[in-house]
Amino acid sequence: MWIQPEEVLLAGALWVSERANPFFILQRRKGHGRGGGLSGLLVGTLDVVLDSSARVAPYRILLQTADSQIYWNVACGSSRKEITEHWDWLESNLLQTISIFDNDEDVTTFVKGKISGIIAEENRLKQGEEQEEDCGKFQEAELKMRRLFAMPEEEKLVNYYSCSYWKGRVPRQGWLYLSVNHLCFYSFLLGKEVTLVVQWTEVTQLEKNANLVFPESVRVSTRHTEHFFSMFLNINDTFKLMEQLANIAMRQLLDNEAFAADLTLPKPCKTLKNVSILKRDLDARAKNERYRTMFRLTQDERLDGHTDCTLWTPFAKMHVVGQLFISNNYICFNSREEGLCQLIIPLREVSIAEKADSSSVLPCPVSISTKNKMNFLFANLKDRDFLVQRISDFLQRTPDSSRGDTSPLCLVGPSTPHYHPGLSTASQGLLQLYHQDAREDLGPKAMREKMKEEAWNIHFSEFGRGVCMYRTSRTRELVLNGIPESLRGELWLLFSGAQNEMATHSGYYGDLVEQAMGLCSLATEEIERDLHRSMPEHRAFQNETGIAALRRVLTAYAHRNPGIGYCQAMNIVTSVLLLYCPEEEAFWLLVALCERMLPDYYNTRVVGALVDQGVFEELTRAFLPLLYEHMQELGVISTISLSWFLTLFLSVMPFDSAVLLVDCFFYEGIKVTFQVALAVLYDNMDALLSCSDEGEAMTILGRYLDNVVNKQTVAPPIPHLHALLTSGDDPPPEVDIFDLIKSSYEKFGSLHSDVIEQMRFKQRLKVIQSLEDTAKRSVVRAMMTESAFSIEELEELYCLFKSKHMTSCYWGSSSSAAERHDPSLPYLEQYRIDPAQFTQLFTALGPWVCGGHTSTLSTRLFRLLDQNKDGLVNFKEFITGLSGMYHGDMTEKLKLLYKLHLPPALCPEVAESALEATHFFTEEEPQEEKVKDYRYYLRMWATEKEPKAETIKDLPRMNQEQFIDLCKTLYNMFSEEPLEQELYHSIATVASLLLRIGEVGKRFNNNNGGGRKADNPAAQGLPTEPQREEAHGEGGLRESQVCLALADAQLEPATLDEESKDDVSLSSYSVVSSGSLPCDDITDNTLLIGGGRRRRGSVLDVDWSITFEQVLASLLTEPPLVDYFEKKRDFKNKMAACKAQRAVERQTSSTSDHELTHPGIGLM
């Protein structure tokens, strides 16, 4: 690139001159390219270790004048190509102009002014572009990364760090490049080069550790190896970025969605040094995620900023120190002391936000008033004016909630909607619905319930009610003591954050029900099957009212989130929600559970539950090490924990007890589930340690959970089916649920959400990669019976095929990878690739190398394998085609090659025209259609359902143009064979013979058919029995006629009638010896057939055709061709050559340097 001219005193130090003219010198830095000796090695090492290459490019151009000892650096380049373009421009545009100057000083002034003008013009053109935010040094590092690792421009660098890579016990100092999809490392020390490329999707474990061998280091594990990096300037920041990128990769494996940059990210107030846009994006995402998790906000909420402040708490008459958070829809506060005070104020509830009077007691205060007459006072704000202005800006964008949204359901016509306000479940929960006629209970349990309600009412009067309520340690105490039934639905909605989402989506649930009801899908079938299995012991679900409400909620959610659809255990959780909440509230609680509080729990592979199962095992090992070892031997933990977590203990514990755990879960989150699970194991430790098998341990835990009781419940006991099955003659003592909760907080209350999230990340890598391995094994087992490849070969092919699919996910393609990935399909059909990716795999792995014709052959094979015509090929189809080429016998290989030159393998236009011609020639006179009875249609249906094995007699005939194309393919296939000339001679002989056979068949058909083309089967492209007989010389008189015609064709080609001469037949080919024409002369417009060359623009013979049987019989007469097609191709060498290349797509970068290529770079 052009640079502002700067003085250079020593032009020869560390530089080698490569080109020169009277005014300019092109130089290369020592240590780059070939040669250089010891000084070159030292300079190259310094450039890598000290990163001088980011400031000093390997090439430069100097301006020199004859009378001056000072040189001026006017251009630099990271590659020879770039610097050569600048050199050519100088010679073409400046050299002749400056040669007429008499004064050297004028030359220097003119060149400096010209270069400065070019730079100014380039900067002007770049203004407003997104790349301008990245400083020059970072851009140089990104260019270097693409050059060193052959990455395309789509691969974006996030950040780079100086560190050491441990190769054995020797650290190699170099640079670690973290891009969106790859971890790359490069080192060049004293002539020894180390290059590493790892895809994030291949990472199975990421750990930060310190030991005697590796001082504070990061370990990156893949399925086959481990990599250690150390000596970071700030290892915590680097590791945090690695975690984010690995998480994004795992999300790609789950959802097949590429990383999308946040285009709405605000521009920084000041220029950020060495920070890329993507790094800022990822930092913002991490902050947003933490903010949303802390306050249970929706996924589209974005943090605008946060600041330290104090909040006046009227209930405690004191100022609480904490942080104030501002986002596009909320103002939130969290105290510095955990659990002391938390506040969430939706902007839709704010009426006034203004500055209050400052004083020594309240410096820089801001007052916020809500519509329900609550007032909040924040003080000690650093930039109060900016904060108030920012809140005002967000308030102006906030829609007025008082007007609300008119639900479209009000406009529905005379037909009754599935969900409407008149339904009993639209305004109250099922428990309230069934208890409204019950007599008032005045017993001690009922009085205790009243006391709970009164305690909450006092709390509401003191701390507020609704979304703006102060959430304090007192709130937590009330939750742990149990939420009264009358307030349970309201408080679940509040603590989960579902109330905010429902308030901003008025009428959404009703619309969703109307859209979803009546639709039939796999999810709706599963829902119908499980409806009557949802709490059948509860009378609310023993009638149509409860069942219909459950159906509407589950169906609406399956329609809202097709990625999840429906998963078993959702019915149990939703049933409990409907007991305490109206339908719409239950729906939004289900949304909060599935999408925020229990992420990925209810997808098709229950990934979230498996992740938390791994976390639970790790917690058991930390808190109960002795029990952990014994339980691992029995394999119990993985069996019990999945049902505990998926249903929040609702399926394994009496309902009245489990619902109290749901209370705590909505307030505290997943940590409560872990605490209670650990407490259950702790209480049964002695009994579990004495167990000898898994069944005994399961029985102990099952009976314990069945006897966890809630002695304070006022509702009549609900029979627990699991308890009925596991109760024995000597039931264990009852356990009070409140004692269990209290014990879990006392023994395991030190668990923190941040620790759990960190453990979840570690387990997520392990679980998702384990699921991918399981999928691979399933695919290999399924394909073992359908192909002749070995297990190892199928596994390697699956990994290669999947990497192509994933590459399209993040480097773009004609169709998004998400559209190609259908999780409802079997594993071997889930991943699919497009024609371009198929061509790459075919070129790398296919045994038939056809030079420039390879892409055409690949495209045709793709069309042949694409059975459903969706423009994509799945793994099963890919293996079917590849296995036929490698492991089929000669007939199967020839049949595949034959079919590649017939529709549908031909291009769609050719196939369509052929189809039209067939319809034209097969038109018949309209006949009176006979009425067919049902038995005819049943027979036809049964015939269609029967699988038909394709034989060689079923293959259609090949016309002359298709035959010529087949010959061209065969000639291209032999170009790299050792017996090239023998194969050319053989195919020339076979082609000449087949041409004559087709000519004989045409003449014979014309003689028999009386010249009626409509009766000519060859024109239709369809095989007929008479033709087969003629081709094989069967049938008395016909045999003699064929032999006679064949002799005429061979001996007297010039005696054909005039009609045959007009068509392209043997006479239209000039005979050329196959050995006299080198293969280099074979082009798209030239074809050797029996030593003949077809003239471009010649007319094809539409009556000429041959069958596959004739092709096969002719080829069998030539031993070189038989040997070629029967020869077993070495697939292992092809696969090894493919693996030696990078597993990621390579693209020649514009900054590539021919002297700095690394053919040995591989994915380690």
Side-chain angles (χ1 to χ4, degrees):
M1 60 182 175
W2 301 108
I3 61 175
Q4 289 292 346
E6 53 187 20
E7 290 186 6
V8 177
L9 298 179
L10 297 174
L14 305 181
W15 293 87
V16 178
S17 296
E18 295 196 338
R19 295 188 188 181
N21 60 40
F23 296 98
F24 298 102
I25 303 175
L26 189 154
Q27 293 186 326
R28 171 176 55 82
R29 187 169 174 81
K30 290 182 180 179
H32 293 268
R34 299 183 181 88
L38 181 59
S39 62
L41 290 178
L42 290 173
V43 173
T45 300
L46 290 173
D47 281 351
V48 172
V49 175
L50 303 178
D51 194 29
S52 60
S53 61
R55 299 186 297 273
V56 182
Y59 297 94
R60 70 180 182 182
I61 297 176
L62 301 180
L63 168 66
Q64 65 168 2
T65 55
D67 299 333
S68 175
Q69 297 299 318
I70 297 176
Y71 297 83
W72 294 87
N73 191 1
V74 296
C76 66
S78 59
S79 69
R80 185 181 297 279
K81 181 180 178 182
E82 181 184 6
I83 205 68
T84 302
E85 289 176 355
H86 288 9
W87 177 266
D88 293 341
W89 188 91
L90 289 172
E91 287 192 328
S92 303
N93 296 277
L94 288 189
L95 196 58
Q96 187 175 1
T97 304
I98 60 179
S99 63
I100 63 175
F101 284 92
D102 297 329
N103 189 346
D104 290 342
E105 190 174 331
D106 293 341
V107 172
T108 304
T109 304
F110 176 79
V111 173
K112 289 168 63 178
K114 188 66 176 176
I115 298 299
S116 298
I118 293 173
I119 294 172
E121 180 65 18
E122 287 180 348
N123 290 338
R124 186 185 66 81
L125 295 175
K126 288 181 180 178
Q127 282 181 356
E129 293 184 3
E130 192 175 67
Q131 290 81 0
E132 197 176 45
E133 286 187 28
D134 293 345
C135 66
K137 187 174 179 181
F138 188 87
Q139 284 184 345
E140 189 71 27
E142 188 167 40
L143 290 173
K144 183 180 176 183
M145 178 201 74
R146 290 176 184 160
R147 185 189 71 222
L148 290 174
F149 308 106
M151 296 287 182
E153 291 187 3
E154 290 84 355
E155 186 67 7
K156 302 296 184 184
L157 178 66
V158 180
N159 213 347
Y160 64 105
Y161 304 92
S162 174
C163 69
S164 291
Y165 170 57
W166 290 80
K167 196 169 179 64
R169 292 183 176 273
V170 179
R172 298 299 183 97
Q173 184 66 28
W175 289 87
L176 180 71
Y177 298 87
L178 303 180
S179 68
V180 173
N181 304 295
H182 299 91
L183 177 151
C184 308
F185 178 84
Y186 180 78
S187 173
F188 183 81
L189 292 175
L190 299 177
K192 291 188 177 180
E193 186 178 62
V194 177
T195 306
L196 174 72
V197 179
V198 178
Q199 284 180 292
W200 289 116
T201 51
E202 295 297 323
V203 174
T204 58
Q205 195 170 3
L206 196 62
E207 282 187 316
K208 182 177 63 175
N209 51 26
N211 52 45
L212 294 176
V213 180
F214 299 109
E216 197 173 30
S217 61
V218 173
R219 182 177 69 174
V220 180
S221 304
T222 63
R223 287 178 174 82
H224 308 294
T225 186
E226 291 182 341
H227 308 285
F228 290 89
F229 303 90
S230 63
M231 301 183 191
F232 291 95
L233 185 63
N234 190 332
I235 191 171
N236 292 325
D237 287 350
T238 308
F239 186 72
K240 189 181 296 182
L241 179 58
M242 285 180 166
E243 282 186 327
Q244 285 181 278
L245 294 171
N247 254 325
I248 291 171
M250 294 306 104
R251 183 54 58 183
Q252 285 180 359
L253 287 175
L254 273 180
D255 302 336
N256 280 267
E257 292 182 357
F259 171 80
D262 189 354
L263 301 178
T264 62
L265 194 67
K267 293 193 174 182
C269 323
K270 58 182 180 179
T271 305
L272 300 174
K273 297 290 183 183
N274 301 329
V275 176
S276 70
I277 299 172
L278 287 176
K279 180 65 169 64
R280 288 180 51 228
D281 187 349
L282 291 172
D283 289 344
R285 288 177 187 230
K287 291 179 181 178
N288 288 336
E289 187 63 33
R290 184 173 177 274
Y291 168 66
R292 289 192 293 257
T293 303
M294 186 186 300
F295 299 104
R296 306 275 172 82
L297 303 178
T298 56
Q299 295 297 323
D300 57 351
E301 199 62 28
R302 298 183 181 183
L303 180 64
D304 188 69
H306 59 90
T307 183
D308 293 333
C309 70
T310 60
L311 170 66
W312 171 251
T313 51
F315 53 88
K317 302 295 189 291
M318 60 180 289
H319 294 277
V320 176
V321 179
Q323 280 191 318
L324 182 69
F325 300 83
I326 307 292
S327 62
N328 46 334
N329 292 299
Y330 297 91
I331 300 172
C332 302
F333 175 85
N334 195 44
S335 60
R336 184 177 297 172
E337 182 182 341
E338 186 181 6
L340 183 60
C341 183
Q342 191 181 75
L343 188 63
I344 301 172
I345 309 173
L347 290 179
R348 66 178 185 274
E349 299 291 333
V350 175
S351 56
I352 301 173
E354 58 185 357
K355 293 182 285 188
D357 296 333
S358 295
S359 66
S360 57
V361 180
L362 281 177
C364 301
V366 170
S367 173
I368 296 177
S369 302
T370 63
K371 295 174 182 176
N372 60 352
K373 309 303 181 187
M374 292 185 72
N375 186 266
F376 304 96
L377 196 61
F378 300 94
N380 292 284
L381 294 162
K382 292 180 181 178
D383 198 347
R384 180 174 63 161
D385 293 339
F386 176 78
L387 179 67
V388 172
Q389 182 60 45
R390 201 74 186 130
I391 294 174
S392 300
D393 292 342
F394 282 127
L395 281 173
Q396 289 178 358
R397 303 175 200 167
T398 304
D400 187 2
S401 60
S402 60
R403 289 178 298 179
D405 297 328
T406 304
S407 172
L409 295 175
C410 303
L411 308 176
V412 175
S415 60
T416 305
H418 293 89
Y419 176 79
H420 54 85
L423 289 173
S424 57
T425 53
S427 56
Q428 54 188 340
L430 291 172
L431 273 186
Q432 186 180 357
L433 186 64
Y434 284 96
H435 288 171
Q436 58 187 4
D437 298 330
R439 241 188 278 173
E440 185 178 1
D441 188 357
L442 300 177
K445 292 184 178 180
M447 295 308 296
R448 186 176 296 176
E449 186 78 2
K450 291 285 186 184
M451 290 172 63
K452 284 185 182 180
E453 292 179 9
E454 187 60 30
W456 274 99
N457 288 329
I458 295 172
H459 183 275
F460 291 148
S461 62
E462 190 173 351
F463 296 90
R465 187 167 188 170
V467 288
C468 299
M469 179 178 73
Y470 291 96
R471 306 173 194 210
T472 67
S473 54
R474 174 61 180 156
T475 314
R476 179 183 173 191
E477 290 175 9
L478 290 176
V479 171
L480 296 184
N481 288 329
I483 300 176
E485 286 188 0
S486 59
L487 297 174
R488 187 162 273 148
E490 175 189 343
L491 293 175
W492 282 359
L493 207 65
L494 173 65
F495 297 144
S496 66
Q499 184 169 343
N500 290 318
E501 203 163 3
M502 187 175 75
T504 54
H505 292 79
S506 177
Y508 175 84
Y509 172 69
D511 293 343
L512 208 58
V513 170
E514 294 306 309
Q515 295 168 17
M517 296 303 289
L519 297 179
C520 186
S521 66
L522 181 62
T524 56
E525 292 177 5
E526 293 177 346
I527 289 170
E528 288 298 326
R529 186 174 62 245
D530 286 350
L531 282 177
H532 294 279
R533 304 176 187 172
S534 308
M535 296 187 69
E537 67 277 11
H538 200 289
R539 64 170 186 158
F541 296 99
Q542 294 170 357
N543 57 72
E544 187 55 30
T545 301
I547 295 295
L550 182 60
R551 178 187 292 113
R552 284 190 292 269
V553 173
L554 291 175
T555 306
Y557 185 77
H559 188 70
R560 166 191 165 89
N561 193 342
I564 292 178
Y566 171 77
C567 173
Q568 284 188 339
M570 286 174 66
N571 59 323
I572 296 174
V573 175
T574 308
S575 300
V576 176
L577 299 179
L578 282 168
L579 289 176
Y580 298 99
C581 308
E583 267 187 57
E584 186 173 7
E585 294 181 6
F587 169 79
W588 287 113
L589 279 169
L590 184 63
V591 169
L593 274 174
C594 296
E595 298 175 14
R596 295 196 299 277
M597 301 188 73
L598 297 174
D600 299 322
Y601 257 61
Y602 300 107
N603 58 21
T604 52
R605 297 190 282 183
V606 292
V607 173
L610 292 174
V611 168
D612 282 351
Q613 176 180 294
V615 172
F616 180 57
E617 290 186 17
E618 199 170 338
L619 291 172
T620 306
R621 181 170 55 185
F623 287 99
L624 308 170
L626 289 177
L627 182 60
Y628 170 78
E629 292 179 5
H630 186 66
M631 297 281 277
Q632 283 296 98
E633 293 175 3
L634 300 179
V636 176
I637 296 181
S638 58
T639 307
I640 59 174
S641 56
L642 197 60
S643 60
W644 292 3
F645 294 143
L646 273 173
T647 62
L648 301 175
F649 288 95
L650 287 165
S651 63
V652 295
M653 198 181 280
F655 171 75
D656 295 324
S657 303
V659 78
L660 292 175
L661 298 181
V662 178
D663 292 343
C664 300
F665 169 78
F666 277 122
Y667 187 79
E668 293 273 34
I670 192 65
K671 62 170 286 189
V672 174
T673 311
F674 287 122
Q675 288 177 188
V676 173
L678 288 170
V680 170
L681 293 184
Y682 180 83
D683 286 353
N684 294 275
M685 186 184 300
D686 295 337
L688 291 172
L689 286 173
S690 62
C691 289
S692 57
D693 58 55
E694 179 186 358
E696 187 179 354
M698 293 285 291
T699 301
I700 289 172
L701 291 172
R703 297 184 68 189
Y704 176 88
L705 291 171
D706 290 337
N707 286 275
V708 176
V709 297
N710 178 6
K711 299 179 180 178
Q712 298 182 12
T713 182
V714 294
I718 300 170
H720 188 222
L721 295 183
H722 188 264
L724 296 176
L725 295 173
T726 59
S727 59
D729 298 333
D730 186 20
E734 291 184 344
V735 179
D736 194 306
I737 182 62
F738 292 101
D739 293 339
L740 180 62
I741 293 174
K742 183 180 178 181
S743 171
S744 73
Y745 273 92
E746 289 175 350
K747 294 182 176 66
F748 310 105
S750 58
L751 275 178
H752 289 281
S753 299
D754 293 342
V755 175
I756 291 174
E757 286 303 317
Q758 185 65 34
M759 296 170 74
R760 273 179 166 178
F761 164 74
K762 180 180 175 181
Q763 294 297 327
R764 191 177 295 116
L765 291 178
K766 189 184 299 184
V767 166
I768 293 178
Q769 297 292 12
S770 175
L771 290 172
E772 292 297 312
D773 291 340
T774 303
K776 181 173 71 174
R777 287 193 295 269
S778 300
V779 169
V780 169
R781 281 198 303 270
M783 291 305 300
M784 280 296 294
T785 58
E786 300 190 25
S787 73
F789 288 112
S790 66
I791 294 177
E792 294 77 13
E793 290 171 343
L794 283 172
E795 288 181 346
E796 291 176 348
L797 284 169
Y798 178 80
C799 293
L800 192 60
F801 189 90
K802 180 184 167 186
S803 71
K804 286 291 178 187
H805 173 91
M806 295 306 300
T807 298
S808 68
C809 184
Y810 50 73
W811 281 351
S813 182
S814 56
S815 61
S816 70
E819 294 174 358
R820 311 175 193 187
H821 185 258
D822 186 356
S824 65
L825 294 173
Y827 283 127
L828 73 169
E829 298 178 18
Q830 285 187 10
Y831 295 116
R832 297 179 285 177
I833 57 175
D834 60 19
Q837 295 170 317
F838 182 85
T839 299
Q840 293 168 0
L841 288 178
F842 180 85
T843 304
L845 300 173
W848 297 340
V849 180
C850 301
H853 197 62
T854 303
S855 60
T856 304
L857 200 66
S858 167
T859 305
R860 292 181 177 182
L861 181 59
F862 182 89
R863 293 195 192 102
L864 188 66
L865 296 176
D866 183 16
Q867 297 179 358
N868 58 357
K869 310 303 176 191
D870 61 350
L872 298 169
V873 163
N874 61 41
F875 182 71
K876 180 180 180 181
E877 295 166 339
F878 172 73
I879 292 298
T880 301
L882 200 63
S883 181
M885 288 187 286
Y886 273 103
H887 302 294
D889 58 22
M890 179 179 176
T891 303
E892 290 177 358
K893 292 177 181 177
L894 286 174
K895 188 165 70 171
L896 176 60
L897 197 61
Y898 184 86
K899 290 167 72 174
L900 290 179
H901 296 81
L902 297 173
L906 292 177
C907 61
E909 293 78 9
V910 175
E912 187 177 352
S913 62
L915 184 63
E916 290 176 354
T918 303
H919 290 329
F920 176 78
F921 287 116
T922 55
E923 282 184 355
E924 298 179 357
E925 294 293 328
Q927 298 179 357
E928 183 178 354
E929 186 178 356
K930 295 182 179 179
V931 179
K932 301 178 179 64
D933 62 5
Y934 71 94
R935 288 171 294 183
Y936 170 81
Y937 292 106
L938 285 175
R939 286 195 299 270
M940 290 292 294
W941 178 80
T943 305
E944 289 176 359
K945 290 294 180 183
E946 290 178 0
K948 297 179 180 178
E950 186 183 55
T951 65
I952 59 176
K953 293 182 181 293
D954 296 327
L955 294 173
R957 300 177 71 90
M958 179 178 282
N959 64 32
Q960 196 172 74
E961 183 178 9
Q962 295 161 355
F963 170 69
I964 291 171
D965 208 12
L966 173 62
C967 292
K968 183 165 68 172
T969 300
L970 289 171
Y971 272 103
N972 284 313
M973 284 171 63
F974 304 147
S975 60
E976 298 181 10
E977 289 295 317
L979 301 176
E980 180 181 344
Q981 292 302 321
E982 289 86 343
L983 288 168
Y984 280 153
H985 179 76
S986 296
I987 194 59
T989 304
V990 170
S992 179
L993 177 60
L994 286 171
L995 190 71
R996 294 185 179 96
I997 290 175
E999 187 67 32
V1000 170
K1002 183 194 76 171
R1003 296 180 61 193
F1004 185 73
N1005 288 334
N1006 285 344
N1007 290 337
N1008 286 350
R1012 290 182 56 203
K1013 287 189 176 183
D1015 296 331
N1016 185 4
Q1020 304 174 24
L1022 299 171
T1024 61
E1025 289 303 324
Q1027 287 173 328
R1028 295 196 184 105
E1029 292 173 2
E1030 293 154 15
H1032 288 81
E1034 297 172 0
L1037 179 62
R1038 287 194 180 124
E1039 181 178 359
S1040 61
Q1041 290 175 339
V1042 170
C1043 294
L1044 181 61
L1046 182 58
D1048 292 341
Q1050 289 175 332
L1051 300 175
E1052 300 177 356
T1055 60
L1056 298 175
D1057 53 33
E1058 292 298 320
E1059 181 182 351
S1060 299
K1061 287 182 181 180
D1062 291 339
D1063 298 330
V1064 176
S1065 62
L1066 181 65
S1067 61
S1068 65
Y1069 292 85
S1070 58
V1071 178
V1072 180
S1073 171
S1074 62
S1076 65
L1077 186 64
C1079 63
D1080 293 340
D1081 295 337
I1082 301 173
T1083 65
D1084 289 341
N1085 300 319
T1086 305
L1087 181 68
L1088 296 177
I1089 298 182
R1093 183 195 302 261
R1094 189 184 72 169
R1095 294 193 306 272
R1096 185 174 183 177
S1098 59
V1099 181
L1100 293 172
D1101 192 338
V1102 296
D1103 294 330
W1104 187 98
S1105 67
I1106 55 174
T1107 66
F1108 173 74
E1109 295 159 293
Q1110 293 167 343
V1111 173
L1112 178 60
S1114 302
L1115 285 170
L1116 288 172
T1117 63
E1118 292 293 327
L1121 292 176
V1122 174
D1123 294 342
Y1124 174 83
F1125 282 104
E1126 287 187 343
K1127 179 182 178 182
K1128 292 294 183 183
R1129 301 291 166 178
D1130 192 349
F1131 175 76
K1132 291 183 178 179
N1133 286 342
K1134 282 275 189 180
M1135 196 69 199
C1138 188
K1139 287 169 65 177
Q1141 300 175 352
R1142 285 255 314 277
V1144 295
E1145 294 293 329
R1146 285 183 175 274
Q1147 172 176 314
T1148 303
S1149 177
S1150 59
T1151 60
S1152 62
D1153 190 330
H1154 300 295
E1155 295 180 358
L1156 287 175
T1157 56
H1158 307 286
I1161 293 177
L1163 181 61
M1164 300 185 187

